[in-house]
């Protein structure tokens, strides 16, 4: 299975952000988040777009609209996943990242019920989705910008409602062995496979990102129909959670899609070889510190994202 050029580009996007992304699932939040100070010059063309989108606490009062690419765009008319459901709970509430395209919200609600019924989990713990208007985030993700991405913890939801403090302080369970070559058999269970398979079987799901060791375990343990494995993509980090990405919604002409995953399970030795090289598992630090990458500016996003930012807040 030869990687598609766009997939290679995405590898670089994820790789550039890997340390922050890997840590993000574990970064603690605050039960009393402080409001961000006003910007001295919000019209500065060099200002990072994350400064603008990160200050929007409500979605745009506009029809639902997905604009741009997963790692370069925004969303209007986003819907919030309620922080509590019978079979799900939202984590890290202080981040205000439980917003998405309505189809993603419905998928998570549906998936959580399936996980409860078929995998025996009380439910799922939902990590980052998108900000109220999407766009670049202050920390952790290059993607998650258009409301079509969501992180699901690989830790089952407890059979009780977590307190707000627990949602900020609790850490997800590491699923990968210390040597990074396989899953940790002390925490990985067949039900983890069931949960990921249920997500992959959703028709709108285009990709699910997991640590390569988790992909390796899924390839080894999956029985019966294995066609869903083509959607499971190894990616840096993702050893505490898995990342669901859905396709551009039908009729969303402003949404930039990814190619469909390559045919095949992606389970051969050749398919996984890159991820288990020592240079990938244990990368050597650069002899010279890399220059800080300038933030993505509003001018680098699709023009329609200016309208999304300028729109009044939606009523809640």
């Amino acid at each position: 299975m030869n990687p598609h050029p766009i997939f290679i580009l995405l590898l670089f996007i994820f790789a550039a952000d890997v340390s922050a992304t890997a840590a993000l699932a574990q970064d603690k939040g605050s039960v009393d988040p402080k409001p961000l100070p006003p910007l001295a010059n919000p019209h500065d063309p060099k200002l990072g777009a994350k400064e603008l989108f990160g200050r929007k606490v409500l979605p745009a009062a506009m029809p639902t609209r997905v604009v741009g690419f997963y790692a370069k765009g925004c969303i209007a008319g986003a819907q919030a996943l309620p922080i509590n459901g019978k079979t799900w709970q939202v984590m890290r509430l202080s981040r205000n990242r439980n917003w998405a395209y309505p189809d993603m919200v419905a998928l998570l609600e549906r998936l959580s019920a399936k996980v409860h019924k078929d995998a025996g989990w009380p439910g799922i713990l939902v990590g980052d989705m998108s900000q109220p208007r999407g766009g670049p985030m202050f920390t952790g993700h290059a993607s998650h910008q258009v409301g079509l991405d969501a992180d699901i913890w690989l830790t089952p939801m407890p059979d009780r409602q977590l307190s707000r403090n627990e949602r900020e302080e609790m850490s997800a369970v590491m699923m990968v062995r210390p040597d990074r070559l396989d899953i940790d058999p002390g925490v990985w269970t067949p039900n983890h496979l069931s949960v990921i398979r249920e997500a992959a079987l959703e028709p709108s799901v285009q990709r699910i990102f997991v640590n390569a060791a988790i992909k390796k375990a899924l390839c080894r343990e999956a029985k019966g129909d294995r066609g869903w494995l083509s959607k499971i993509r190894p990616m840096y980090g993702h050893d505490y959670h898995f990342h669901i990405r859905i396709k551009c919604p039908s009729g969303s002409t402003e949404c930039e899609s990814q190619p469909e995953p390559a045919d095949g399970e992606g389970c051969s030795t050749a398919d996984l070889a890159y991820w288990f090289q020592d240079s990938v598992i244990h990368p050597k630090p650069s002899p010279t510190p890399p220059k800080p990458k300038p933030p993505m500016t509003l001018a680098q996003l699709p023009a329609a994202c200016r309208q999304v930012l300028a729109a009044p807040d939606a009523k809640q």
Side-chain angles (χ1 to χ4, degrees):
M1 183 180 67
N2 294 323
H4 190 282
I6 292 182
F7 178 66
I8 294 293
L9 175 61
L10 284 173
L11 283 184
F12 283 109
I13 290 173
F14 275 90
D17 214 31
V18 60
S19 59
T21 304
L24 185 66
Q26 303 307 300
D27 285 350
K28 296 179 180 180
S30 170
V31 294
D32 185 25
K34 306 301 181 188
L36 294 168
L39 293 168
N41 184 6
H43 302 294
D44 181 353
K46 295 182 180 179
L47 183 69
K50 63 185 179 182
E51 299 287 350
L52 301 168
F53 282 95
R55 282 171 166 76
K56 293 295 184 181
V57 298
L58 289 171
M62 300 172 68
T64 305
R65 180 180 178 188
V66 176
V67 181
F69 189 61
Y70 302 93
K72 194 175 182 180
C74 59
I75 179 172
Q79 179 180 332
L81 175 70
I83 64 171
N84 293 310
K86 289 184 178 179
T87 50
W88 77 85
Q89 294 182 51
V90 175
M91 304 300 285
R92 303 298 192 259
L93 301 178
S94 60
R95 294 181 187 159
N96 194 27
R97 296 180 182 175
N98 58 311
W99 301 85
Y101 188 76
D103 287 0
M104 174 61 88
V105 173
L107 185 154
L108 294 176
E109 294 177 350
R110 188 166 61 245
L111 175 64
S112 71
K114 288 182 180 178
V115 163
H116 176 70
K117 177 177 178 290
D118 298 335
W121 281 16
I124 59 173
L125 298 176
V126 181
D128 284 353
M129 296 163 64
S130 292
Q131 298 178 133
R133 304 191 191 198
M137 298 180 179
F138 283 113
T139 58
H141 300 288
S143 59
H144 289 254
Q145 293 194 28
V146 292
L148 304 180
D149 294 286
D151 290 341
I152 308 298
W153 285 25
L154 284 163
T155 304
M157 185 185 86
D159 195 13
R160 62 182 178 83
Q161 185 168 304
L162 295 169
S163 69
R164 190 176 186 95
N165 187 64
E166 286 175 308
R167 296 183 202 215
E168 301 293 351
E169 294 286 325
M170 177 179 167
S171 293
V173 176
M174 161 67 87
M175 292 287 141
V176 179
R177 254 175 21 196
D179 65 6
R180 316 295 292 165
L181 295 176
D182 212 326
I183 48 88
D184 181 346
V187 294
W188 177 264
T189 70
N191 285 341
H192 285 96
L193 182 149
S194 298
V195 170
I196 296 173
R197 179 180 59 206
E198 291 285 4
L201 289 174
E202 286 282 342
S204 65
V205 170
Q206 188 178 59
R207 281 170 173 74
I208 293 178
F209 298 112
V210 298
N211 183 280
I214 294 174
K215 169 75 177 188
K216 180 179 177 180
L218 296 173
C219 289
R220 182 175 61 236
E221 298 172 11
K223 309 296 183 185
D225 178 9
R226 292 165 56 93
W228 56 275
L229 286 166
S230 65
K231 295 184 180 181
I232 312 299
R233 318 302 290 184
M235 190 52 66
Y236 301 97
H238 299 87
D239 37 18
Y240 297 87
H241 70 279
F242 66 98
H243 173 163
I244 297 175
R245 173 167 293 171
I246 64 175
K247 303 173 185 178
C248 283
S250 176
S252 293
T253 58
E254 297 171 293
C255 180
E256 298 176 30
S257 64
Q258 275 186 267
E260 289 297 314
D263 292 335
E265 298 174 358
C267 289
S268 71
T269 300
D271 290 330
L272 296 173
Y274 167 82
W275 299 98
F276 293 104
Q277 298 176 87
D278 188 66
S279 59
V280 174
I281 295 177
H282 304 112
K284 293 181 180 179
S286 173
T288 57
K291 292 183 179 179
K293 186 179 178 182
M296 183 180 294
T297 65
L298 187 58
Q300 292 173 294
L301 295 175
C305 289
R306 297 188 186 92
Q307 300 173 17
V308 172
L309 271 175
D313 290 342
K315 294 180 180 179
Q316 296 298 299

